[in-house]
Amino acid sequence: MPKSQFIDPVEVRKPGSIQFKEIPVNQYNKSIEEEKANFSNEEFVDIFHDMALIREFETMLNLIKTKGEYEGIEYNHPGPAHLSIGQESAAVGMAYHLGVEDFIFGSHRSHGEILAKGMSAIHNMSDDELMDVMTNFFDGTILNIVKEGHEGNVKSLARRFLIYGTLAEIFARETGFNKGLGGSMHAFFTPFGVYPNNAIVGGSGDIAVGAALFKKVNKKEGIVVANIGDASMACGPVWEGLAFASMDQFEQLWEGAYKGGLPIIFNIMNNQYGMGGQTCGETMGYDIAARIGAGVNRDSMHAERVDGYNPLAVIDAYKRKMELLKNKKGPVLLDVLTYRYSGHSPSDASSYRSKEEVEAWEKQDCIASYASELVGAGVAKEAELADIKADIVELMKYAMKLAIDDKVSPHMDMEKYPELIGDMMFSNESLDKMEDREVEVNHPMEENPRVQQLAKKERFAFDANGKPFSKIKQYQLRDGIFEAVVDRFYKDPTLVAYGEENRDWGGAFAVYRGLTEALPYNRLFNSPISEASIIGTAIGYAMCGGRVIPEIMYCDFLGRCGDEVFNQMPKWQAMSGNVIKMPVVVRVSVGSKYGAQHSQDWTSLVAHIPGLKVVFPVTPYDAKGLMNTALQGTDPVIFFESQRIYDIGEQFHEGGVPEGYYEIPFGEPDVKREGKDITILTIGATLYRALEAADKLKEEYGMEAEVIDARSIVPFNYEKVLESVKKTGRIIISGDANSRGSFLNDMARNITELAFDDLDAPPVVVGSRNWITPAHELEKYFFPQVDWFLDAIHEKIVPLKKHVVKNNYTNAEQIRRNKLGI
């Protein structure tokens, strides 16, 4: 923590009390007549139009799901449709003042928000701007479909474009906004400032904070709105997002133009229910959701409850809250009171609520009551509003006919192009920097004390006589990571790094020592102990166009950010149809000596998830080269580092670790020692125990082991391993992950299939025991040791002359352990 912030016991121990700021509830009370000074008649009517447009869109989807037809047009849509019928004014009010530079994120119930924000963009953009967007998006594919037969103006054409693109996406058509890979719950359209909607309840709660961080760090115009439901207020990502967004360092430690709060509004679309649970009175205890702001910061997050059944009340609230954000007073919490008439989904019979309750809300319907006020104030006539509704119905019929036409709107042709989705998983781009502008640093790199120190270190572990240099003199693995990271900070102006104790401490295990001096607070900072928000915000930061290095201090803590690592970060590139890139390099340390909750190797968990690249370098040369590759790319990378060997020198690359820039391609294993009798393939720090085992094999049994370091797990090129097995006929695969369900077994299976004719014995896996990780004093019984390799070879592959077995690797023991689940 920063030494500049003195925590004075005299002050903090004084008695006192906490006073919470007043939180307004439904304070807006203006009539249409009173608002005529702020809106033209056309603008009043546009608000009605947009609400009616959303209502008809959702009604269409509801009829398709429940009756299989809309206005006589039959269609079977098997996918989801979480509808927001009843919430239209809350969505339109939210979007009214937002420009394309303002970003919204949503939940699984976000069709209305997409359309509201899209229509707001159409109202406010010029014809030339709209044509530019439509012409350039997917090379004009959607535009070419909707402009055929169109006779209206550009805004009318853009409305067609919006409705069709959204509906085609919901119906999983290749002509949808995300090529049909997002669907109903993940549809979005970034050119209008509509960012990903999230199928995971509360999933946008921390991702949206990352988008606000991107705007703040990179001095971008606009604000961010996190549209989340009332039920999401029980979700970890939302609470962690609130904590991250409210960090005091934004006010107290960030300087100059960066000083001040994040430009974000947490917009609670409070429709009273979470699936079938009633949030107020059953599953939550806050009564009024706005009260949550009181516990977050001194400003109570400028929290307010707004009548979301009145679009003008929401518009008024947004105008006021956006002014706060403009003055860097964020974050803001808005509790927008609304109601959904539809169930959680069309299959929901709403058995958990009474008919009387639904009817009571329908009597105060936001569209009907607003229309009545417009007519009463002389803004519009009933016939005019009826014509608008009729026109919208025709638009929906038009869009639906197009969206279900297999010739105009085909699904992805997976028969003709079976690898289409596979091709979407990674962007595989190479970019020095995400934006072309000057970097913000505190001094030239050559003046950095750590950089100067490294220039004097020995970049190869041994002298000319093969004697190792002292640890103080050796260039170590942590130095390789540092050099790659600091180099990128001086190249990419968007790059930020953060995590627990990243700054003043020099980072966990001293990897970042020297960065604090080189970088201002807005590029390197400490985060809360809040792993979900560390990764969630990194996702939001990256999808908006930045590059980020979040750090998870211990591998075990991946469980704390499981949704972000498993459900969010790997999927958005593909679900966006490759519109979005995800240049996130997650640094994760793998430990030992700290027991069951700090010493696990979870490489297998992340390797199992499609969409993540996974690397695990264990030499200084490989660490620098692979980190350079990770930071040059635009894909999410889980970058494992072993705490056991941060201080190890380079023993293999005889030229030492180059001072200049170089990359090592992902997926290419490296032969660390050549041999002819058996192959040992390792993941992680197990390499060094495998090398010791190879020494013993040669000295005591006359066998020459070829030792290969995997370096990468995903992707992985088997060709070099197969070459080795062709020569040796035998292979052991080893790493520190628990053997059951590990990636070691996946490798063994692939090698068996690919090298079956070359194998003299089945591949053998030597992983850790299927126990909790014990204390340091007992670790030799848990992690693979030198004698484990020898015993496994003796029992499973080839008998070793006069070998005395210490560990049981017999088939009977393998059966016994599996039978017991240990």
Side-chain angles (χ1 to χ4, degrees):
M1 291 299 151
K3 293 179 182 177
S4 61
Q5 292 185 306
F6 178 69
I7 300 173
D8 187 346
V10 174
E11 290 299 318
V12 299
R13 296 187 67 215
K14 286 180 179 177
S17 63
I18 299 172
Q19 302 298 317
F20 294 109
K21 289 192 173 183
E22 188 174 57
I23 296 175
V25 175
N26 300 336
Q27 292 291 304
Y28 179 87
N29 61 1
K30 292 182 180 179
S31 67
I32 294 277
E33 198 64 45
E34 290 172 304
E35 284 284 22
K36 282 184 177 180
N38 299 315
F39 299 88
S40 67
N41 283 0
E42 183 182 3
E43 288 169 333
F44 278 127
V45 172
D46 281 345
I47 293 168
F48 172 83
H49 167 275
D50 294 353
M51 290 196 294
L53 184 79
I54 295 169
R55 174 68 60 86
E56 194 62 31
F57 187 91
E58 298 283 72
T59 299
M60 168 184 64
L61 287 175
N62 188 51
L63 290 170
I64 290 168
K65 289 294 293 181
T66 57
K67 300 187 176 181
E69 64 88 27
Y70 170 75
E71 293 287 322
I73 307 166
E74 295 184 359
Y75 186 64
N76 173 38
H77 173 54
H82 300 285
L83 307 176
S84 60
I85 298 173
Q87 299 180 199
E88 296 81 8
S89 57
V92 172
M94 173 272 301
Y96 187 83
H97 281 302
L98 302 181
V100 292
E101 72 281 0
D102 301 308
F103 299 164
I104 68 167
F105 289 76
S107 65
H108 56 271
R109 195 183 306 284
S110 290
H111 304 152
E113 294 152 25
I114 296 169
L115 299 184
K117 183 66 163 66
M119 287 307 302
S120 174
I122 292 168
H123 292 316
N124 291 305
M125 292 172 74
S126 69
D127 288 356
D128 287 346
E129 289 171 328
L130 287 169
M131 285 305 301
D132 185 61
V133 166
M134 293 188 289
T135 301
N136 290 304
F137 191 75
F138 288 153
D139 297 321
T141 298
I142 299 173
L143 174 61
N144 291 335
I145 292 171
V146 298
K147 73 179 182 182
E148 189 171 334
H150 180 259
E151 296 179 354
N153 58 26
V154 172
K155 291 189 183 297
S156 169
L157 178 62
R159 188 180 70 148
R160 270 192 178 193
F161 179 94
L162 174 66
I163 297 298
Y164 168 77
T166 305
L167 190 58
E169 182 59 35
I170 291 170
F171 290 167
R173 304 293 171 149
E174 192 173 20
T175 52
F177 281 151
N178 312 116
K179 295 187 181 294
L181 290 169
S184 171
M185 295 188 289
H186 313 106
F188 58 98
F189 187 66
T190 56
F192 283 170
V194 183
Y195 273 73
N197 300 296
N198 212 299
I200 304 297
V201 174
S204 295
D206 49 11
I207 293 174
V209 177
L213 181 69
F214 174 80
K215 285 187 175 293
K216 183 176 180 64
V217 169
N218 296 283
K219 298 180 181 177
K220 303 294 185 184
E221 293 294 321
I223 71 163
V224 175
V225 178
N227 286 307
I228 51 180
D230 45 311
S232 76
M233 298 312 293
C235 295
V238 174
W239 282 100
E240 295 198 26
L242 290 170
F244 194 106
S246 303
M247 287 195 294
D248 266 348
Q249 65 177 281
F250 297 134
E251 289 282 355
Q252 299 196 28
L253 296 171
W254 291 34
E255 298 178 338
Y258 302 104
K259 185 179 180 67
L262 289 187
I264 184 169
I265 296 175
F266 290 89
N267 190 85
I268 306 172
M269 289 292 190
N270 193 346
N271 65 20
Q272 318 299 306
Y273 286 91
M275 294 191 72
Q278 190 184 78
T279 51
C280 178
E282 182 186 8
T283 66
M284 300 287 181
Y286 50 62
D287 185 34
I288 293 177
R291 81 165 63 247
I292 289 168
V296 175
N297 66 8
R298 298 172 194 86
D299 295 319
S300 296
M301 294 187 70
H302 309 285
E304 182 173 346
R305 166 166 277 190
V306 182
D307 179 8
Y309 250 41
N310 183 343
L312 301 183
V314 184
I315 290 169
D316 171 75
Y318 262 82
K319 184 178 181 180
R320 291 183 285 105
K321 303 306 182 185
M322 289 175 75
E323 191 63 27
L324 285 171
L325 297 188
K326 183 179 177 182
N327 293 320
K328 301 183 180 181
K329 299 297 183 183
V332 165
L333 179 71
L334 271 183
D335 172 7
V336 182
L337 184 65
T338 185
Y339 195 82
R340 59 171 166 86
Y341 308 146
S342 51
H344 171 66
S345 65
S347 60
D348 174 358
S350 288
S351 57
Y352 46 85
R353 53 187 181 174
S354 68
K355 180 183 177 186
E356 290 76 16
E357 179 184 285
V358 176
E359 288 176 348
W361 282 88
E362 286 178 333
K363 284 179 182 177
Q364 299 186 26
D365 179 71
C366 60
I367 297 176
S369 59
Y370 181 70
S372 177
E373 288 185 43
L374 291 182
V375 173
V379 171
K381 295 180 179 179
E382 288 185 7
E384 181 184 352
L385 301 183
D387 287 345
I388 288 172
K389 287 185 175 181
D391 173 67
I392 288 171
V393 170
E394 290 304 312
L395 173 63
M396 295 304 160
K397 288 161 64 177
Y398 161 84
M400 184 180 168
K401 286 176 182 177
L402 276 185
I404 66 175
D405 187 324
D406 291 336
K407 291 182 179 178
V408 176
S409 310
H411 295 105
M412 278 189 168
D413 191 344
M414 299 297 291
E415 294 291 333
K416 189 174 181 180
Y417 305 105
E419 294 303 316
L420 267 175
I421 296 177
D423 292 342
M424 297 281 184
M425 296 307 296
F426 297 116
S427 54
N428 288 320
E429 291 184 1
S430 176
L431 293 174
D432 284 342
K433 49 194 172 184
M434 300 304 292
E435 286 187 10
D436 189 14
R437 55 184 166 84
E438 290 296 312
V439 295
E440 289 184 87
V441 291
N442 293 335
H443 53 234
M445 195 192 300
E446 60 270 17
E447 294 179 12
N448 184 269
R450 175 93 179 268
V451 172
Q452 292 173 346
Q453 180 194 51
L454 292 184
K456 300 171 185 175
K457 283 199 171 188
E458 298 293 342
R459 290 179 169 258
F460 190 60
F462 308 106
D463 65 17
N465 299 314
K467 183 180 177 182
F469 291 104
S470 68
K471 290 284 187 185
I472 295 175
K473 287 186 176 182
Q474 281 185 20
Y475 179 100
Q476 300 171 343
L477 187 138
R478 60 165 57 90
D479 299 325
I481 297 169
F482 169 81
E483 276 197 341
V485 170
V486 75
D487 174 73
R488 191 62 54 172
F489 268 113
Y490 278 80
K491 286 178 179 174
D492 189 340
T494 73
L495 180 61
V496 294
Y498 53 87
E500 297 157 21
E501 307 302 351
N502 267 206
R503 189 169 178 89
D504 303 275
W505 193 1
F509 315 105
V511 172
Y512 283 166
R513 188 170 50 82
L515 282 185
T516 299
E517 295 83 353
L519 301 169
Y521 232 102
N522 53 287
R523 299 196 73 199
L524 175 73
F525 56 90
N526 296 329
S527 73
I529 299 176
S530 172
E531 286 81 7
S533 73
I534 291 171
I535 303 302
T537 54
I539 293 165
Y541 189 93
M543 66 170 52
C544 292
R547 181 174 272 137
V548 58
I549 310 173
E551 182 193 315
I552 301 301
M553 191 182 289
Y554 283 83
C555 188
D556 316 63
F557 304 164
L558 284 171
R560 297 286 295 271
C561 49
D563 180 59
E564 286 74 11
V565 172
F566 301 144
N567 255 333
Q568 307 290 347
M569 189 166 60
K571 297 178 178 178
W572 285 113
Q573 284 197 128
M575 284 198 298
S576 74
N578 274 171
V579 169
I580 279 175
K581 307 297 180 233
M582 193 59 61
V584 180
V585 179
V586 182
R587 293 186 53 236
V588 182
S589 82
V590 179
S592 68
K593 79 181 181 183
Y594 295 110
Q597 294 182 331
H598 276 63
S599 306
Q600 297 168 96
D601 179 326
W602 277 1
T603 49
S604 302
L605 292 182
V606 292
H608 177 69
I609 305 300
L612 295 175
K613 292 182 176 178
V614 185
V615 296
F616 198 164
V618 287
T619 73
Y621 175 80
D622 292 343
K624 180 176 178 179
L626 288 169
M627 180 58 85
N628 279 333
T629 303
L631 291 173
Q632 183 71 13
T634 55
D635 291 312
V637 178
I638 310 296
F639 196 96
F640 285 102
E641 305 161 17
S642 174
Q643 296 166 25
R644 298 168 186 255
I645 55 172
Y646 272 125
D647 63 352
I648 203 159
E650 178 55 45
Q651 303 174 18
F652 306 98
H653 190 77
E654 291 192 11
V657 180
E659 292 183 13
Y661 182 86
Y662 63 94
E663 296 178 20
I664 295 174
F666 284 175
E668 296 300 325
D670 190 48
V671 177
K672 299 301 191 198
R673 180 178 300 182
E674 294 188 353
K676 60 182 176 59
D677 298 313
I678 189 168
T679 302
I680 303 177
L681 172 62
T682 65
I683 295 174
T686 315
L687 166 70
Y688 294 98
R689 276 158 275 153
L691 289 165
E692 288 181 54
D695 289 339
K696 275 202 169 188
L697 280 171
K698 187 171 184 180
E699 292 165 9
E700 299 179 16
Y701 305 105
M703 288 182 70
E704 293 184 10
E706 182 148 290
V707 182
I708 303 177
D709 176 12
R711 300 198 296 192
S712 298
I713 305 173
V714 182
F716 187 80
N717 181 1
Y718 280 92
E719 289 173 356
K720 195 169 285 187
V721 176
L722 299 177
E723 238 177 75
S724 179
V725 170
K726 188 165 187 154
K727 176 172 52 174
T728 65
R730 310 172 179 119
I731 186 167
I732 281 185
I733 304 138
S734 186
D736 282 349
N738 296 93
S739 58
R740 183 176 62 235
S742 77
F743 193 73
L744 305 171
N745 295 315
D746 196 73
M747 286 178 147
R749 188 207 69 190
N750 283 324
I751 291 165
T752 300
E753 292 177 5
L754 296 168
F756 186 79
D757 293 335
D758 296 317
L759 287 165
D760 297 328
V764 174
V765 168
V766 177
S768 293
R769 296 298 304 274
N770 299 312
W771 308 336
I772 60 167
T773 311
H776 176 64
E777 293 81 356
L778 301 174
E779 278 187 354
K780 66 181 181 180
Y781 304 105
F782 177 78
F783 291 115
Q785 303 297 314
V786 171
D787 56 346
W788 293 26
F789 289 92
L790 306 180
D791 294 344
I793 292 169
H794 180 76
E795 294 281 11
K796 293 282 195 179
I797 296 176
V798 58
L800 302 175
K801 194 173 182 181
K802 296 183 180 179
H803 178 69
V804 178
V805 173
K806 296 180 183 177
N807 304 277
N808 193 342
Y809 272 89
T810 63
N811 289 343
E813 176 64 4
Q814 188 174 340
I815 291 170
R816 185 191 76 85
R817 289 180 182 179
N818 280 280
K819 187 176 180 181
L820 294 174
I822 56 172

